[in-house]
Amino acid sequence: MPELPEVETIARQLNRLVVGRRIVEFVSHWHRVTEPVPAKHFAERLVGRRITAVGRRGKFVVMELDGGEALIVSLRMTGRLLFREDASAEDRFVRAALRFQDGTVLRFADTRKFGRMAIVDRVDLSDARRERRVSDAPLYRSLGIEPLSRRFTVRWLADMLARRSRAAIKPLLLDQREIAGVGNIYDIEALWRARIHPLRTAGSLRPADAERLHEAIRWVLRKGIRYGGASRRDYVDARGNQGRMQREFNVYGRAGEPCPRCGRAIVRTVVGGRGTFHCPRCQRAPRD
Ligand SMILES: [Zn+2]
């Protein structure tokens, strides 16, 4: 499932590939992609529009249109945004497509069909970057802080941990209402880097833990972006290429392998329904 680094990778590519192109056709092949809006109404709002910028908010791709509206894409589990210069090139599981004036096409392919698109009013990307006003948009109404923004400070994190003191740290980092964009992979890698057991409560973390966690979250996300995201099963970028971050995991998917820091075997457990990985020596379990 694409997380912040994967979506950021796609958004940066699309910012080079589709900005300035005018939409001449929108086609839907799966009615729920645009629900609750009928695809016909969707097309009416998109056709004739030019894409002026592409960015990211949380795990959403945000395509700003001239006229002030924005097309928002949620990739969910298996969604892909594929830019094709040659529209005759075939892609599988295409649920919707934007065709541009110059014959190029942006396809939304999605094997599992959980991905969605929405058009929102009066959202501009500069606002998305500054995290203001975008909260009006229904798809990301309650999105939390951007962890790579300046507002995400050690102080902010410490305050949040105090406010949510009884929550276990692993599911708390996945809560998009607090921190937007972190999913299971980067959560696991950040906790390992910060040497924090996934079942520790937020309230049990000391100031030094919060400081390490803050550094670790930003470090793993930035590294993920630098490596073009992580491709395990489905993720590919807007050119259809795999990312390289999956080779860089320290604990994710490495049960039984030695911890790169101390050599102890990595353990897989399930926390809050999510498979998780940690080092039992570097990440000490909380005492009851
Ligand atoms: Zn270790």
Side-chain angles (χ1 to χ4, degrees), residues 173-193:
L173 294 184
L174 296 174
D175 186 342
Q176 301 297 298
R177 295 168 301 180
E178 298 290 359
I179 301 174
V182 176
N184 202 36
I185 289 177
Y186 295 92
D187 171 307
I188 287 167
E189 290 290 319
L191 288 174
W192 177 81
R193 183 171 171 84

Side-chain angles (χ1 to χ4, degrees), residues 33 70 74 107 123 240 242 278:
V33 162
S74 165
R107 294 184 175 130
V123 171
Q242 294 207 325
H278 75 279

